[in-house]
Amino acid sequence: MKTILVLLDTLNRRSLPAYGGGASTPNIDRAAEKSVVFGQHWSGSLPCMPARRDLLTGRASFLEKGWGGIEPFDRTLPEVLREAGIFSHIITDHYHYFSRGGENYCQAFSTWDFHRGQEGDPWHSVIAEPPKPEQYYGRIEDQYEHNRSRFEREEDYPGPRTLSAACDWLERNKDEDNYFLWVEAFDPHEPFDCPPHYLEQYKDTYNGPRFDWPIYGDADVPEDALRHLNARYAANLTMIDHWFGKLLDTMDRLELWEDTLFIFTTDHGFLLGEHELLGKNQMHVYNELAHIPLMIRPPGGQREGMRIHALSQTVDLMPTILDYMGVQAPEDVRGYSLRGLLEGREDQVREAAIYGYHGMAVNVTDGRHTYMRAPKSADNHPCNIYTAMPTTFRSFLGGGMEKEIECGRYLERTDYPVFKIPLTAEGRPYTGNQRVLQSQLFSLEEDYAQQHPLQNEAVEEHMIDLLRAEMERADAPEEQYLRLGLEKREDD
């Protein structure tokens, strides 16, 4: 039994023709035709590394901590597979795995392969400042300017190199039968960089300042620049789709489809002017960010081309993979296997899905409504980070509050002692959630773009009940209820 999981970072569902989008992605379309397409698939923890921890552990991590490494007490997918005698390999150009705050992800696999050069990856080593445009919108960073100077051909870009390496790996291991292959391309993550012929496909006529890397927050750029940014995103997506096609070609040639579980998905989406915002992280987790694509082809193509509208989310992929590979899921997994849905034996596996960023609003959907529960006060108190690995993206946690950090056995699911690091404290306001201080309720059917918040007390109470139930199932720390102004259910 084989499993191949393909993960593209920052893949907007609304861009894909398989979901009604307008980007040119003939190979993703081809994968959709071969697969069961999920219409109600949602993120869990955001952004990049929290989403991957969810995928690897089958648990929502954002209620305990944000960006950080795999914990010593986490049971990860490749480790569980290894215990069952199954080989695993990851091929990626996602440099966050090798930055501080990305510890223990790739190292859990039997082998790993890293392709350098994306975004701020400290790869091409030049001391002198690189040449930069005199005018630009958004961001320009020296390290990426150095990196991109080495992309002389399309084949030199990290995304194409990653997909080519996946093809090579499959060729080398064509006679093997018991493995899990994780193929991950950073594209179409920003900066939206690709050879110009992809941009030409979108008839882009922009001639203003360079704009390929937006600053997260307000979309305060001219309309023509915003259209150009959208075209650049689409062009970057079309490039990686082209190389994804080579992976599909390899699977065709090696006749892998009959005995392989194939999964195609992403971690989250990206705002490109919707809600007058750009990026992620600083705002409510709107549908553009949380409602994500998922395509699964079971071995042999059972129910090929079908659409499933039952709720699913990122934490469900680990138990699904283990189920197909004949391995028991660890007891602390909170996701559900989707195999029953894929085989037509079940109509539903979950009532609701929760998702969010650590320390910000906590969000829930039942497939009909979305509810964003804001902190009850601007200072967000109380909120703590729980971790035995006190690192985050490019830095350590707890700096400046060392005397306030405690250590103990605070998590019910493990006896492993963890640090309890205050994210907020009395008299020290938290500024990271200033855009999410108002709870909001939306109808997915009547207002998918989330422009007109509902005022419906009965629906809101129903969504609050679902939120509480999912938080309890995720073993949310007690103070999460306090900061959100919620009480735990009486039956607990």
Side-chain angles (χ1 to χ4, degrees):
M1 174 66 193
K2 313 174 184 71
T3 295
I4 299 173
L5 183 147
V6 179
L7 179 70
L8 302 186
D9 199 294
T10 315
L11 180 59
N12 284 335
R13 180 185 190 273
R14 64 194 183 280
S15 295
L16 303 179
Y19 290 97
S24 176
T25 58
N27 294 296
I28 296 175
D29 299 347
R30 181 174 147 203
E33 291 170 359
K34 284 181 170 289
S35 304
V36 175
V37 177
F38 285 71
Q40 283 281 3
H41 188 62
W42 296 79
S43 294
S45 305
L46 291 90
C48 298
M49 300 318 292
R52 284 154 181 79
R53 187 177 177 215
D54 280 16
L55 204 159
L56 286 170
T57 64
R59 296 182 58 91
S61 65
F62 76 97
L63 295 166
E64 295 176 2
K65 74 170 189 177
W67 190 293
I70 292 291
E71 298 287 347
F73 46 84
D74 284 342
R75 295 288 307 284
T76 66
L77 173 60
E79 289 172 329
V80 175
L81 292 174
R82 179 182 293 174
E83 291 168 5
I86 298 171
F87 190 95
S88 63
H89 182 61
I90 181 171
I91 303 168
T92 182
D93 61 348
H94 194 132
Y95 78 104
H96 295 155
Y97 286 119
F98 303 95
S99 301
R100 185 173 293 149
E103 296 87 358
N104 306 324
Y105 287 85
C106 287
Q107 293 80 3
F109 288 79
S110 303
T111 52
W112 49 267
D113 183 12
F114 176 35
H115 295 267
R116 305 292 302 271
Q118 289 282 17
E119 200 191 53
D121 179 16
W123 175 48
H124 189 36
S125 184
V126 178
I127 296 173
E129 287 190 14
K132 290 183 285 237
E134 292 183 5
Q135 293 184 318
Y136 59 90
Y137 295 122
R139 298 170 61 183
I140 297 282
E141 291 193 2
D142 286 359
Q143 184 60 60
Y144 186 67
E145 295 303 300
H146 287 310
N147 291 347
R148 74 195 299 263
S149 71
R150 296 183 62 173
F151 307 156
E152 297 179 2
R153 306 169 303 150
E154 183 174 336
E155 292 83 356
D156 298 331
Y157 283 75
R161 281 190 272 129
T162 298
L163 271 298
S164 294
C167 296
D168 292 343
W169 191 91
L170 288 174
E171 292 280 5
R172 286 196 307 275
N173 294 282
K174 61 185 177 183
D175 297 324
E176 301 298 331
D177 183 51
N178 202 26
Y179 63 76
F180 170 58
L181 174 63
W182 177 306
V183 183
E184 178 179 346
F186 199 55
D187 296 319
H189 193 288
E190 76 277 6
F192 307 132
D193 192 10
C194 60
H197 68 89
Y198 288 106
L199 191 59
E200 291 167 3
Q201 294 184 34
Y202 292 92
K203 298 179 172 57
D204 181 65
T205 59
Y206 177 74
N207 61 1
R210 178 170 149 186
F211 190 29
D212 57 16
W213 194 343
I215 295 172
Y216 297 169
D218 294 328
D220 54 355
V221 295
E223 282 295 322
D224 64 336
L226 192 58
R227 287 193 298 270
H228 172 67
L229 186 71
N230 276 265
R232 293 203 70 93
Y233 174 89
N236 192 231
L237 173 55
T238 298
M239 177 184 75
I240 202 62
D241 175 84
H242 171 74
W243 291 87
F244 173 55
K246 296 182 182 297
L247 178 67
L248 299 182
D249 291 343
T250 301
M251 294 183 67
D252 288 344
R253 186 172 60 257
L254 299 179
E255 299 180 347
L256 293 176
W257 296 106
E258 291 306 306
D259 59 351
T260 298
L261 173 68
F262 175 80
I263 301 174
F264 177 86
T265 191
T266 189
D267 48 1
H268 53 70
F270 194 86
L271 290 169
L272 290 165
E274 299 87 352
H275 310 280
E276 300 182 353
L277 295 167
L278 292 170
K280 57 193 181 192
N281 299 355
Q282 299 183 6
M283 63 289 291
H284 272 305
V285 186
Y286 294 107
N287 291 338
E288 292 89 351
L289 297 169
H291 197 190
I292 58 176
L294 173 65
M295 304 169 191
I296 301 179
R297 179 187 168 94
Q302 189 176 14
R303 305 183 81 202
E304 180 178 288
M306 292 287 292
R307 297 266 169 165
I308 287 179
H309 298 288
L311 275 178
S312 61
Q313 65 177 136
T314 302
V315 294
D316 299 329
L317 295 182
M318 179 203 190
T320 301
I321 293 166
L322 292 175
D323 192 353
Y324 273 98
M325 301 200 82
V327 180
Q328 183 70 37
E331 289 185 4
D332 66 350
V333 165
R334 293 295 180 264
Y336 299 93
S337 172
L338 304 178
R339 187 170 184 173
L341 293 174
L342 288 161
E343 296 179 351
R345 294 183 285 102
E346 294 179 297
D347 296 323
Q348 175 181 309
V349 297
R350 57 169 62 248
E351 286 188 82
I354 57 169
Y355 50 96
Y357 300 101
H358 180 72
M360 296 179 70
V362 180
N363 314 277
V364 64
T365 184
D366 63 355
R368 295 177 296 278
H369 295 89
T370 54
Y371 180 58
M372 305 165 175
R373 181 73 180 196
K376 66 179 181 179
S377 62
D379 66 9
N380 204 28
H381 185 73
C383 189
N384 298 298
I385 300 165
Y386 294 93
T387 181
M389 300 283 298
T391 59
T392 189
F393 187 36
R394 295 175 173 168
S395 64
F396 292 99
L397 291 164
M401 59 179 74
E402 289 83 358
K403 292 183 179 180
E404 300 173 50
I405 298 173
E406 300 175 358
C407 187
R409 292 175 174 83
Y410 298 114
L411 300 180
E412 292 184 6
R413 66 189 178 93
T414 180
D415 290 329
Y416 206 101
V418 296
F419 294 105
K420 179 180 178 181
I421 304 172
L423 183 66
T424 62
E426 296 288 355
R428 186 176 64 239
Y430 176 65
T431 60
N433 62 354
Q434 296 308 298
R435 296 179 188 268
V436 300
L437 294 178
Q438 182 178 0
S439 296
Q440 294 184 317
L441 173 69
F442 296 98
S443 168
L444 280 171
E445 295 177 353
E446 299 176 5
D447 183 25
Y448 183 81
Q450 297 174 305
Q451 297 296 312
H452 307 289
L454 283 177
Q455 303 297 324
N456 187 315
E457 187 173 334
V459 173
E460 184 171 7
E461 283 302 315
H462 171 66
M463 299 304 291
I464 289 172
D465 286 343
L466 291 176
L467 177 61
R468 272 196 292 250
E470 290 299 310
M471 287 177 63
E472 290 167 21
R473 191 167 186 279
D475 304 314
E478 293 291 327
E479 69 268 16
Q480 287 284 351
Y481 301 92
L482 295 175
R483 77 177 187 93
L484 296 174
L486 297 175
E487 294 182 3
K488 294 187 72 171
R489 293 182 300 170
E490 292 182 2
D491 58 353
D492 286 339

